[in-house]
């Protein structure tokens, strides 16, 4: 089954404790992206990757890191989480340039930073 | 002006009626337009895509695009309670390496 697998589904942590949210897709997609979703603000792009070792900032990259060492994996790293990073996070992938083909989303990670 | 704008609602529609969801965008050169549906606590799922002016129908859903007015809409005919969700408009901005989402419209279908 074609899917984007994102873990964990829920995460509660404390300020400053490094964490990683994993994302993996089994569709051989080149394009992958991370979004955060906050009430009233919709989906905002954090980082995206057009291919292995090619990543770039989205609209809200501050406080986040990503890496793309393998085509299937695109982890999101919070080196020193802060309460304003409490949000619902989604990983997504697409087989072509993001705008010309649909995005496949992971199931989401609800992050709370205390 | 926001790049992609939607009325956040909530929009309340009686069962069996037509629900009309609207979206405007700022970049006149945009080429690709999408509607995603998101149930509470779930991830967005694509329900319609449209690339040229006019209407595109898929079952009970019709997407309408008017590039001159920079306007895209989604009509849901014979609305069902299962259509209650947040609907996200997404636009591929010309020359941008991203899909921009509106803030979403929360739709409630009342039995």
């Amino acid at each position: 089954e074609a899917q984007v697998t994102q873990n964990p589904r829920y995460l509660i942590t404390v300020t400053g404790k490094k964490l990683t949210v994993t994302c993996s897709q089994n569709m051989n997609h080149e394009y992958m992206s991370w979004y955060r979703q906050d009430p009233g603000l919709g989906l905002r792009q954090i980082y995206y990757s057009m291919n292995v070792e090619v990543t770039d900032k989205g609209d809200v990259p501050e406080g986040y890191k990503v890496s793309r060492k393998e085509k299937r994996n695109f982890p999101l790293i919070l080196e020193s989480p802060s309460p304003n990073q409490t949000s619902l996070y989604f990983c997504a992938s697409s087989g072509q340039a993001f705008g010309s083909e649909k995005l496949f989303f992971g199931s989401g990670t609800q992050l709370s930073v205390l | 002006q926001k790049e992609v704008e939607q009325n956040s609602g909530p929009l309340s529609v009686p069962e069996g009626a037509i629900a009309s969801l609207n979206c405007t965008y700022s970049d006149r050169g945009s080429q690709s337009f999408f509607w995603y549906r998101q149930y509470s606590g779930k991830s967005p799922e694509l329900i319609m895509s449209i690339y040229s002016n006019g209407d595109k129908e898929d079952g009970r859903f019709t997407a309408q695009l008017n590039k001159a007015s920079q306007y895209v809409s989604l009509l849901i005919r014979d609305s069902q309670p299962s259509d209650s969700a947040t609907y996200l408009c997404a636009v591929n901005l010309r020359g941008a390496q991203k899909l921009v989402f509106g803030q979403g419209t929360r739709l409630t279908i009342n039995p």
Side-chain angles (χ1 to χ4, degrees):
Chain A
E1 179 189 355
Q3 61 183 3
V4 178
T5 303
Q6 190 180 332
N7 283 298
R9 182 71 179 91
Y10 300 95
L11 181 57
I12 299 174
T13 189
V14 295
T15 299
K17 186 175 182 181
K18 181 179 177 180
L19 65 91
T20 299
V21 184
T22 63
C23 175
S24 180
Q25 50 91 6
N26 63 0
M27 295 166 280
N28 202 36
H29 284 170
E30 292 186 343
Y31 178 85
M32 298 185 75
S33 181
W34 277 102
Y35 294 88
R36 61 177 289 173
Q37 186 173 35
D38 303 288
L41 296 178
L43 284 163
R44 293 181 293 167
Q45 190 181 54
I46 303 171
Y47 268 94
Y48 66 92
S49 170
M50 300 296 283
N51 213 327
V52 175
E53 302 291 2
V54 180
T55 64
D56 209 346
K57 297 177 181 178
D59 296 317
V60 288
E62 294 76 21
Y64 304 94
K65 285 176 58 177
V66 293
S67 68
R68 189 91 182 271
K69 293 183 171 57
E70 304 165 286
K71 197 171 187 178
R72 64 183 294 125
N73 296 324
F74 191 45
L76 179 69
I77 303 157
L78 284 72
E79 295 269 3
S80 182
S82 62
N84 64 11
Q85 293 178 298
T86 292
S87 186
L88 178 59
Y89 291 85
F90 289 103
C91 179
S93 73
S94 176
Q96 296 180 5
F98 47 92
S100 60
E101 190 172 315
K102 79 175 204 178
L103 286 173
F104 291 79
F105 283 89
S107 53
T109 296
Q110 181 64 60
L111 172 66
S112 295
V113 183
L114 305 177
Chain B
Q1 181 186 2
K2 290 182 181 178
E3 293 173 309
V4 179
E5 201 149 5
Q6 298 178 252
N7 187 326
S8 59
L11 176 65
S12 187
V13 172
E15 184 175 357
I18 296 175
S20 178
L21 303 160
N22 304 315
C23 174
T24 58
Y25 58 95
S26 61
D27 183 354
R28 184 172 291 277
S30 299
Q31 298 292 326
S32 307
F33 308 86
F34 306 88
W35 284 100
Y36 284 80
R37 177 177 63 199
Q38 186 178 24
Y39 292 114
S40 181
K42 302 295 185 183
S43 56
E45 56 177 332
L46 181 70
I47 53 172
M48 291 289 287
S49 59
I50 187 166
Y51 303 95
S52 54
N53 277 330
D55 294 359
K56 178 182 178 182
E57 188 174 317
D58 184 0
R60 296 187 295 111
F61 298 96
T62 299
Q64 299 176 317
L65 176 61
N66 183 327
K67 290 186 177 180
S69 300
Q70 295 172 239
Y71 178 96
V72 57
S73 64
L74 179 70
L75 301 178
I76 306 174
R77 291 183 300 281
D78 187 24
S79 297
Q80 302 296 310
S82 59
D83 295 326
S84 297
T86 295
Y87 289 80
L88 301 167
C89 173
V91 179
N92 171 21
L93 300 183
R94 175 184 51 179
Q97 300 286 338
K98 62 181 180 181
L99 199 60
V100 179
F101 286 84
Q103 70 269 41
T105 298
R106 187 156 57 94
L107 173 67
T108 300
I109 306 301
N110 299 309

